[in-house]
Amino acid sequence: MLKDKLKKYKLILASGSPRRQQFFKDLDLDFEIRLKDVEEIYPPELKAVEITDFLAQLKADAFKDELQENEILVTSDTIVWHQNKALGKPKNAQEAFEMIKSMSGTTHEVITSVCFQTNAASTLFHDITKVTFKDLSDEAILYYIENYKPYDKAGAYGNQEWFGFMAVTKVEGSYTNVMGLPTAKVYEYLSTLV
């Protein structure tokens, strides 16, 4: 399997996200975590996929001159794109409430870009999943924020938690992409590298 094919490489995941780390474990890949503090600021004129592509590449660029010949660095970024606006991680309960309320009864896009960097080349791809929420009461939204504190999640919600089970009526595309990584695409790409 892929794990054996990657034996002569060192796979590096540059992400503090527990969900992305778990996905790499669940894909049965040996990897190490390397983190850098990158200020995730993008030009205001960027839209949708351009934002996540820019940020995934920005995170990879921080490691540019440090990669050894056999190392493969993986960086990524996820946003929720709704009503022509990027919804990142909420700063507080009020912002989380406003984000979720704006998506109530509508469909939004979850966009993840993934960058693979070696000392010789860089490859970037993205995945888009459409997610539909049912109409949500203020009470349900407040309950979720208070009990699950979704401040580390783009769009202020986790598809894999109570909220996702209760609120999401339709997912079109990769389910794991909504949680921060299009795992099938990542696995497939790594397979082509070796």
Short mmCIF file of all heavy atoms in Angstrom, two decimals, residues 137-194:
data_model
loop_
_atom_site.label_atom_id
_atom_site.label_comp_id
_atom_site.label_asym_id
_atom_site.label_seq_id
_atom_site.Cartn_x
_atom_site.Cartn_y
_atom_site.Cartn_z
N SER A 137 -33.16 27.21 14.49
CA SER A 137 -33.66 28.16 15.50
C SER A 137 -32.47 28.81 16.21
O SER A 137 -31.39 28.22 16.30
CB SER A 137 -34.53 27.42 16.53
OG SER A 137 -33.72 26.53 17.29
N ASP A 138 -32.69 30.01 16.71
CA ASP A 138 -31.65 30.70 17.49
C ASP A 138 -31.24 29.84 18.67
O ASP A 138 -30.06 29.76 19.03
CB ASP A 138 -32.15 32.06 17.99
CG ASP A 138 -32.31 33.06 16.86
OD1 ASP A 138 -32.06 32.69 15.69
OD2 ASP A 138 -32.69 34.22 17.14
N GLU A 139 -32.22 29.17 19.25
CA GLU A 139 -31.98 28.33 20.43
C GLU A 139 -30.99 27.20 20.11
O GLU A 139 -30.06 26.94 20.87
CB GLU A 139 -33.34 27.73 20.87
CG GLU A 139 -33.28 26.97 22.18
CD GLU A 139 -34.61 26.27 22.48
OE1 GLU A 139 -35.42 26.06 21.56
OE2 GLU A 139 -34.81 25.94 23.65
N ALA A 140 -31.17 26.55 18.96
CA ALA A 140 -30.27 25.46 18.57
C ALA A 140 -28.85 25.99 18.31
O ALA A 140 -27.86 25.37 18.71
CB ALA A 140 -30.80 24.76 17.32
N ILE A 141 -28.77 27.15 17.65
CA ILE A 141 -27.46 27.74 17.35
C ILE A 141 -26.73 28.10 18.65
O ILE A 141 -25.55 27.78 18.83
CB ILE A 141 -27.60 29.00 16.45
CG1 ILE A 141 -28.24 28.63 15.10
CG2 ILE A 141 -26.24 29.66 16.22
CD1 ILE A 141 -28.63 29.82 14.24
N LEU A 142 -27.44 28.73 19.56
CA LEU A 142 -26.84 29.13 20.84
C LEU A 142 -26.41 27.92 21.66
O LEU A 142 -25.34 27.92 22.28
CB LEU A 142 -27.82 30.00 21.64
CG LEU A 142 -28.06 31.40 21.05
CD1 LEU A 142 -29.27 32.08 21.71
CD2 LEU A 142 -26.82 32.29 21.17
N TYR A 143 -27.23 26.88 21.65
CA TYR A 143 -26.91 25.64 22.37
C TYR A 143 -25.59 25.06 21.83
O TYR A 143 -24.70 24.68 22.59
CB TYR A 143 -28.03 24.62 22.20
CG TYR A 143 -27.69 23.25 22.76
CD1 TYR A 143 -27.87 22.97 24.11
CD2 TYR A 143 -27.16 22.26 21.94
CE1 TYR A 143 -27.53 21.71 24.63
CE2 TYR A 143 -26.81 21.01 22.45
CZ TYR A 143 -27.00 20.75 23.79
OH TYR A 143 -26.66 19.51 24.30
N TYR A 144 -25.49 25.04 20.51
CA TYR A 144 -24.29 24.48 19.88
C TYR A 144 -23.04 25.28 20.25
O TYR A 144 -22.02 24.71 20.67
CB TYR A 144 -24.45 24.45 18.35
CG TYR A 144 -23.19 24.02 17.64
CD1 TYR A 144 -22.67 22.74 17.83
CD2 TYR A 144 -22.51 24.89 16.79
CE1 TYR A 144 -21.49 22.34 17.20
CE2 TYR A 144 -21.35 24.49 16.14
CZ TYR A 144 -20.84 23.22 16.36
OH TYR A 144 -19.69 22.83 15.74
N ILE A 145 -23.12 26.58 20.13
CA ILE A 145 -21.95 27.43 20.41
C ILE A 145 -21.53 27.29 21.88
O ILE A 145 -20.34 27.15 22.19
CB ILE A 145 -22.25 28.91 20.05
CG1 ILE A 145 -22.42 29.04 18.53
CG2 ILE A 145 -21.13 29.83 20.54
CD1 ILE A 145 -23.08 30.34 18.09
N GLU A 146 -22.52 27.30 22.76
CA GLU A 146 -22.24 27.21 24.20
C GLU A 146 -21.61 25.87 24.58
O GLU A 146 -20.68 25.81 25.38
CB GLU A 146 -23.55 27.40 24.97
CG GLU A 146 -23.34 27.83 26.40
CD GLU A 146 -24.68 28.18 27.05
OE1 GLU A 146 -25.33 29.14 26.59
OE2 GLU A 146 -25.06 27.46 27.98
N ASN A 147 -22.11 24.79 24.00
CA ASN A 147 -21.66 23.45 24.40
C ASN A 147 -20.48 22.91 23.60
O ASN A 147 -19.74 22.07 24.09
CB ASN A 147 -22.83 22.46 24.33
CG ASN A 147 -23.84 22.74 25.44
OD1 ASN A 147 -23.62 22.36 26.57
ND2 ASN A 147 -24.90 23.45 25.11
N TYR A 148 -20.31 23.38 22.37
CA TYR A 148 -19.25 22.81 21.51
C TYR A 148 -18.13 23.81 21.19
O TYR A 148 -17.11 23.41 20.65
CB TYR A 148 -19.85 22.25 20.22
CG TYR A 148 -20.67 21.00 20.48
CD1 TYR A 148 -22.00 21.09 20.87
CD2 TYR A 148 -20.10 19.74 20.37
CE1 TYR A 148 -22.75 19.96 21.13
CE2 TYR A 148 -20.84 18.59 20.62
CZ TYR A 148 -22.17 18.70 21.00
OH TYR A 148 -22.91 17.58 21.25
N LYS A 149 -18.34 25.07 21.47
CA LYS A 149 -17.32 26.11 21.28
C LYS A 149 -16.53 25.94 19.96
O LYS A 149 -15.33 25.65 19.99
CB LYS A 149 -16.38 26.13 22.49
CG LYS A 149 -17.16 26.36 23.78
CD LYS A 149 -16.32 26.48 24.99
CE LYS A 149 -17.07 26.78 26.25
NZ LYS A 149 -18.50 26.55 26.32
N PRO A 150 -17.19 26.14 18.82
CA PRO A 150 -16.56 25.85 17.53
C PRO A 150 -15.64 26.95 17.00
O PRO A 150 -15.70 27.31 15.83
CB PRO A 150 -17.78 25.67 16.62
CG PRO A 150 -18.78 26.63 17.18
CD PRO A 150 -18.57 26.62 18.67
N TYR A 151 -14.78 27.47 17.87
CA TYR A 151 -13.95 28.62 17.48
C TYR A 151 -12.72 28.23 16.64
O TYR A 151 -12.05 29.09 16.11
CB TYR A 151 -13.51 29.40 18.72
CG TYR A 151 -14.69 29.80 19.58
CD1 TYR A 151 -14.81 29.35 20.89
CD2 TYR A 151 -15.71 30.60 19.06
CE1 TYR A 151 -15.91 29.70 21.67
CE2 TYR A 151 -16.82 30.94 19.83
CZ TYR A 151 -16.91 30.49 21.13
OH TYR A 151 -18.01 30.83 21.89
N ASP A 152 -12.46 26.92 16.56
CA ASP A 152 -11.30 26.49 15.76
C ASP A 152 -11.74 25.97 14.40
O ASP A 152 -10.98 25.31 13.70
CB ASP A 152 -10.52 25.40 16.51
CG ASP A 152 -11.34 24.13 16.70
OD1 ASP A 152 -12.60 24.21 16.74
OD2 ASP A 152 -10.74 23.05 16.81
N LYS A 153 -13.00 26.27 14.02
CA LYS A 153 -13.54 25.71 12.78
C LYS A 153 -14.00 26.79 11.82
O LYS A 153 -14.71 27.72 12.22
CB LYS A 153 -14.72 24.78 13.09
CG LYS A 153 -14.31 23.56 13.92
CD LYS A 153 -15.52 22.75 14.34
CE LYS A 153 -15.09 21.50 15.07
NZ LYS A 153 -14.55 21.77 16.40
N ALA A 154 -13.61 26.66 10.55
CA ALA A 154 -14.07 27.59 9.52
C ALA A 154 -15.60 27.53 9.45
O ALA A 154 -16.18 26.46 9.46
CB ALA A 154 -13.47 27.21 8.17
N GLY A 155 -16.23 28.70 9.43
CA GLY A 155 -17.69 28.74 9.35
C GLY A 155 -18.38 28.44 10.67
O GLY A 155 -19.60 28.38 10.75
N ALA A 156 -17.59 28.23 11.72
CA ALA A 156 -18.10 28.04 13.08
C ALA A 156 -18.92 26.77 13.29
O ALA A 156 -19.79 26.72 14.14
CB ALA A 156 -18.92 29.26 13.53
N TYR A 157 -18.63 25.73 12.50
CA TYR A 157 -19.32 24.47 12.79
C TYR A 157 -18.48 23.27 12.39
O TYR A 157 -17.61 23.36 11.54
CB TYR A 157 -20.67 24.41 12.06
CG TYR A 157 -20.60 24.07 10.59
CD1 TYR A 157 -20.72 22.75 10.15
CD2 TYR A 157 -20.38 25.06 9.62
CE1 TYR A 157 -20.64 22.44 8.80
CE2 TYR A 157 -20.31 24.75 8.27
CZ TYR A 157 -20.44 23.44 7.87
OH TYR A 157 -20.36 23.12 6.53
N GLY A 158 -18.76 22.15 13.06
CA GLY A 158 -18.11 20.89 12.74
C GLY A 158 -19.15 19.92 12.21
O GLY A 158 -20.13 19.63 12.89
N ASN A 159 -18.93 19.44 11.02
CA ASN A 159 -19.86 18.51 10.37
C ASN A 159 -19.92 17.17 11.11
O ASN A 159 -20.91 16.45 11.03
CB ASN A 159 -19.39 18.28 8.93
CG ASN A 159 -20.53 17.90 8.01
OD1 ASN A 159 -21.66 18.33 8.19
ND2 ASN A 159 -20.23 17.09 7.02
N GLN A 160 -18.84 16.86 11.85
CA GLN A 160 -18.70 15.56 12.49
C GLN A 160 -19.24 15.57 13.93
O GLN A 160 -19.07 14.61 14.65
CB GLN A 160 -17.22 15.14 12.47
CG GLN A 160 -16.30 15.95 13.37
CD GLN A 160 -15.86 17.29 12.76
OE1 GLN A 160 -16.47 17.80 11.83
NE2 GLN A 160 -14.81 17.88 13.31
N GLU A 161 -19.88 16.67 14.33
CA GLU A 161 -20.38 16.81 15.70
C GLU A 161 -21.91 16.83 15.70
O GLU A 161 -22.55 16.74 14.65
CB GLU A 161 -19.90 18.13 16.31
CG GLU A 161 -18.41 18.30 16.33
CD GLU A 161 -17.98 19.67 16.82
OE1 GLU A 161 -18.70 20.66 16.61
OE2 GLU A 161 -16.90 19.73 17.40
N TRP A 162 -22.46 17.04 16.88
CA TRP A 162 -23.91 17.14 17.06
C TRP A 162 -24.53 18.07 16.02
O TRP A 162 -25.55 17.75 15.41
CB TRP A 162 -24.20 17.68 18.48
CG TRP A 162 -25.64 17.99 18.73
CD1 TRP A 162 -26.62 17.10 19.10
CD2 TRP A 162 -26.28 19.26 18.64
NE1 TRP A 162 -27.82 17.75 19.22
CE2 TRP A 162 -27.65 19.09 18.95
CE3 TRP A 162 -25.84 20.55 18.30
CZ2 TRP A 162 -28.57 20.13 18.95
CZ3 TRP A 162 -26.75 21.59 18.31
CH2 TRP A 162 -28.10 21.38 18.63
N PHE A 163 -23.89 19.21 15.79
CA PHE A 163 -24.45 20.20 14.88
C PHE A 163 -24.61 19.64 13.47
O PHE A 163 -25.64 19.80 12.82
CB PHE A 163 -23.56 21.45 14.83
CG PHE A 163 -24.14 22.54 13.98
CD1 PHE A 163 -25.10 23.40 14.49
CD2 PHE A 163 -23.76 22.69 12.66
CE1 PHE A 163 -25.66 24.40 13.71
CE2 PHE A 163 -24.31 23.69 11.86
CZ PHE A 163 -25.27 24.54 12.39
N GLY A 164 -23.56 18.97 12.97
CA GLY A 164 -23.62 18.40 11.63
C GLY A 164 -24.71 17.36 11.50
O GLY A 164 -25.44 17.30 10.51
N PHE A 165 -24.85 16.54 12.54
CA PHE A 165 -25.87 15.49 12.52
C PHE A 165 -27.28 16.08 12.54
O PHE A 165 -28.21 15.54 11.97
CB PHE A 165 -25.71 14.54 13.72
CG PHE A 165 -24.35 13.91 13.81
CD1 PHE A 165 -23.80 13.62 15.04
CD2 PHE A 165 -23.60 13.61 12.67
CE1 PHE A 165 -22.54 13.04 15.14
CE2 PHE A 165 -22.34 13.03 12.76
CZ PHE A 165 -21.82 12.74 14.00
N MET A 166 -27.42 17.22 13.22
CA MET A 166 -28.72 17.84 13.42
C MET A 166 -29.10 18.82 12.31
O MET A 166 -30.25 18.94 11.93
CB MET A 166 -28.68 18.53 14.80
CG MET A 166 -29.88 19.31 15.24
SD MET A 166 -30.06 21.00 14.60
CE MET A 166 -28.58 21.82 15.10
N ALA A 167 -28.11 19.53 11.77
CA ALA A 167 -28.40 20.67 10.89
C ALA A 167 -28.18 20.43 9.40
O ALA A 167 -28.81 21.07 8.57
CB ALA A 167 -27.55 21.87 11.32
N VAL A 168 -27.26 19.52 9.07
CA VAL A 168 -26.90 19.34 7.65
C VAL A 168 -27.88 18.38 6.96
O VAL A 168 -28.03 17.24 7.37
CB VAL A 168 -25.45 18.81 7.52
CG1 VAL A 168 -25.11 18.49 6.07
CG2 VAL A 168 -24.47 19.84 8.08
N THR A 169 -28.54 18.89 5.92
CA THR A 169 -29.51 18.06 5.21
C THR A 169 -28.94 17.48 3.92
O THR A 169 -29.45 16.50 3.40
CB THR A 169 -30.79 18.86 4.86
OG1 THR A 169 -30.42 19.98 4.05
CG2 THR A 169 -31.49 19.35 6.12
N LYS A 170 -27.85 18.06 3.42
CA LYS A 170 -27.29 17.59 2.15
C LYS A 170 -25.82 17.95 2.04
O LYS A 170 -25.42 19.06 2.38
CB LYS A 170 -28.07 18.24 1.00
CG LYS A 170 -27.83 17.62 -0.36
CD LYS A 170 -28.77 18.29 -1.36
CE LYS A 170 -28.61 17.72 -2.74
NZ LYS A 170 -29.38 18.49 -3.72
N VAL A 171 -25.03 16.98 1.56
CA VAL A 171 -23.61 17.22 1.29
C VAL A 171 -23.34 16.75 -0.14
O VAL A 171 -23.59 15.60 -0.47
CB VAL A 171 -22.69 16.44 2.27
CG1 VAL A 171 -21.22 16.59 1.89
CG2 VAL A 171 -22.91 16.91 3.70
N GLU A 172 -22.86 17.66 -0.98
CA GLU A 172 -22.53 17.31 -2.36
C GLU A 172 -21.02 17.43 -2.54
O GLU A 172 -20.49 18.53 -2.55
CB GLU A 172 -23.23 18.25 -3.34
CG GLU A 172 -24.75 18.18 -3.31
CD GLU A 172 -25.38 19.30 -4.13
OE1 GLU A 172 -25.38 19.20 -5.37
OE2 GLU A 172 -25.84 20.28 -3.50
N GLY A 173 -20.37 16.28 -2.66
CA GLY A 173 -18.91 16.28 -2.79
C GLY A 173 -18.28 15.51 -1.65
O GLY A 173 -18.94 14.72 -0.97
N SER A 174 -17.00 15.77 -1.41
CA SER A 174 -16.24 15.04 -0.39
C SER A 174 -16.69 15.42 1.02
O SER A 174 -16.65 16.58 1.41
CB SER A 174 -14.75 15.36 -0.54
OG SER A 174 -14.03 14.97 0.60
N TYR A 175 -17.09 14.40 1.78
CA TYR A 175 -17.51 14.62 3.17
C TYR A 175 -16.31 15.05 4.03
O TYR A 175 -16.41 15.95 4.85
CB TYR A 175 -18.14 13.33 3.72
CG TYR A 175 -18.52 13.43 5.18
CD1 TYR A 175 -19.67 14.09 5.58
CD2 TYR A 175 -17.71 12.86 6.17
CE1 TYR A 175 -20.02 14.19 6.93
CE2 TYR A 175 -18.04 12.96 7.51
CZ TYR A 175 -19.20 13.62 7.88
OH TYR A 175 -19.54 13.72 9.21
N THR A 176 -15.15 14.41 3.81
CA THR A 176 -13.98 14.74 4.64
C THR A 176 -13.46 16.15 4.34
O THR A 176 -12.86 16.78 5.20
CB THR A 176 -12.83 13.72 4.46
OG1 THR A 176 -12.39 13.74 3.10
CG2 THR A 176 -13.26 12.32 4.87
N ASN A 177 -13.74 16.63 3.13
CA ASN A 177 -13.34 18.00 2.78
C ASN A 177 -13.99 19.01 3.71
O ASN A 177 -13.40 20.02 4.07
CB ASN A 177 -13.73 18.29 1.32
CG ASN A 177 -13.21 19.62 0.85
OD1 ASN A 177 -12.04 19.93 0.99
ND2 ASN A 177 -14.08 20.45 0.29
N VAL A 178 -15.23 18.73 4.12
CA VAL A 178 -15.95 19.64 5.02
C VAL A 178 -15.25 19.70 6.38
O VAL A 178 -15.33 20.68 7.09
CB VAL A 178 -17.43 19.18 5.19
CG1 VAL A 178 -18.22 20.17 6.04
CG2 VAL A 178 -18.10 19.02 3.83
N MET A 179 -14.52 18.64 6.72
CA MET A 179 -13.79 18.59 7.98
C MET A 179 -12.34 19.04 7.81
O MET A 179 -11.54 18.94 8.73
CB MET A 179 -13.86 17.17 8.56
CG MET A 179 -15.25 16.88 9.07
SD MET A 179 -15.80 15.17 9.10
CE MET A 179 -14.42 14.19 9.47
N GLY A 180 -11.98 19.52 6.60
CA GLY A 180 -10.67 20.14 6.45
C GLY A 180 -9.67 19.46 5.55
O GLY A 180 -8.56 19.97 5.36
N LEU A 181 -10.03 18.30 4.96
CA LEU A 181 -9.07 17.65 4.06
C LEU A 181 -9.79 16.69 3.11
O LEU A 181 -10.45 15.75 3.56
CB LEU A 181 -8.02 16.87 4.87
CG LEU A 181 -6.75 16.50 4.12
CD1 LEU A 181 -5.87 17.71 3.86
CD2 LEU A 181 -5.97 15.44 4.88
N PRO A 182 -9.64 16.91 1.80
CA PRO A 182 -10.24 15.96 0.84
C PRO A 182 -9.36 14.72 0.76
O PRO A 182 -8.47 14.61 -0.08
CB PRO A 182 -10.25 16.76 -0.48
CG PRO A 182 -9.14 17.75 -0.34
CD PRO A 182 -8.97 18.03 1.12
N THR A 183 -9.58 13.78 1.67
CA THR A 183 -8.66 12.66 1.88
C THR A 183 -8.44 11.80 0.63
O THR A 183 -7.31 11.39 0.36
CB THR A 183 -9.13 11.76 3.03
OG1 THR A 183 -10.49 11.39 2.78
CG2 THR A 183 -9.04 12.48 4.36
N ALA A 184 -9.49 11.54 -0.14
CA ALA A 184 -9.33 10.69 -1.33
C ALA A 184 -8.38 11.34 -2.33
O ALA A 184 -7.51 10.68 -2.91
CB ALA A 184 -10.69 10.42 -1.97
N LYS A 185 -8.52 12.66 -2.52
CA LYS A 185 -7.64 13.39 -3.45
C LYS A 185 -6.20 13.42 -2.94
O LYS A 185 -5.26 13.30 -3.72
CB LYS A 185 -8.14 14.83 -3.62
CG LYS A 185 -9.12 15.00 -4.77
CD LYS A 185 -9.35 16.49 -5.04
CE LYS A 185 -10.17 16.67 -6.30
NZ LYS A 185 -10.48 18.07 -6.57
N VAL A 186 -6.04 13.60 -1.65
CA VAL A 186 -4.69 13.63 -1.06
C VAL A 186 -4.01 12.28 -1.25
O VAL A 186 -2.85 12.20 -1.68
CB VAL A 186 -4.76 14.00 0.45
CG1 VAL A 186 -3.43 13.72 1.15
CG2 VAL A 186 -5.15 15.46 0.61
N TYR A 187 -4.73 11.21 -0.95
CA TYR A 187 -4.19 9.86 -1.07
C TYR A 187 -3.80 9.56 -2.52
O TYR A 187 -2.73 9.04 -2.81
CB TYR A 187 -5.23 8.86 -0.58
CG TYR A 187 -4.67 7.48 -0.29
CD1 TYR A 187 -4.13 7.19 0.96
CD2 TYR A 187 -4.72 6.47 -1.24
CE1 TYR A 187 -3.63 5.92 1.26
CE2 TYR A 187 -4.21 5.21 -0.96
CZ TYR A 187 -3.68 4.93 0.28
OH TYR A 187 -3.18 3.68 0.56
N GLU A 188 -4.70 9.94 -3.43
CA GLU A 188 -4.47 9.71 -4.86
C GLU A 188 -3.23 10.47 -5.34
O GLU A 188 -2.40 9.93 -6.07
CB GLU A 188 -5.71 10.18 -5.63
CG GLU A 188 -5.72 9.77 -7.09
CD GLU A 188 -6.95 10.31 -7.81
OE1 GLU A 188 -8.01 10.49 -7.17
OE2 GLU A 188 -6.83 10.56 -9.02
N TYR A 189 -3.12 11.72 -4.91
CA TYR A 189 -1.96 12.51 -5.35
C TYR A 189 -0.65 11.94 -4.82
O TYR A 189 0.32 11.82 -5.55
CB TYR A 189 -2.09 13.99 -4.94
CG TYR A 189 -0.90 14.77 -5.42
CD1 TYR A 189 -0.77 15.09 -6.77
CD2 TYR A 189 0.15 15.10 -4.57
CE1 TYR A 189 0.37 15.74 -7.24
CE2 TYR A 189 1.27 15.75 -5.02
CZ TYR A 189 1.38 16.07 -6.38
OH TYR A 189 2.51 16.69 -6.84
N LEU A 190 -0.65 11.56 -3.54
CA LEU A 190 0.57 10.98 -2.96
C LEU A 190 0.96 9.68 -3.71
O LEU A 190 2.13 9.39 -3.89
CB LEU A 190 0.37 10.69 -1.48
CG LEU A 190 0.42 11.90 -0.55
CD1 LEU A 190 -0.01 11.55 0.86
CD2 LEU A 190 1.82 12.53 -0.53
N SER A 191 -0.04 8.95 -4.15
CA SER A 191 0.21 7.71 -4.91
C SER A 191 0.92 8.02 -6.24
O SER A 191 1.77 7.24 -6.69
CB SER A 191 -1.08 6.97 -5.22
OG SER A 191 -1.77 6.68 -4.01
N THR A 192 0.59 9.15 -6.86
CA THR A 192 1.22 9.51 -8.14
C THR A 192 2.65 9.99 -7.93
O THR A 192 3.47 9.88 -8.83
CB THR A 192 0.45 10.62 -8.89
OG1 THR A 192 0.56 11.84 -8.14
CG2 THR A 192 -1.00 10.28 -9.09
N LEU A 193 2.96 10.49 -6.74
CA LEU A 193 4.32 10.99 -6.47
C LEU A 193 5.34 9.85 -6.43
O LEU A 193 6.50 10.03 -6.73
CB LEU A 193 4.36 11.71 -5.12
CG LEU A 193 3.94 13.16 -5.08
CD1 LEU A 193 4.12 13.69 -3.67
CD2 LEU A 193 4.74 14.00 -6.05
N VAL A 194 4.87 8.67 -6.01
CA VAL A 194 5.79 7.54 -5.85
C VAL A 194 5.46 6.47 -6.87
O VAL A 194 6.08 5.50 -7.01
CB VAL A 194 5.73 6.98 -4.41
CG1 VAL A 194 6.33 7.98 -3.44
CG2 VAL A 194 4.34 6.62 -3.99
#
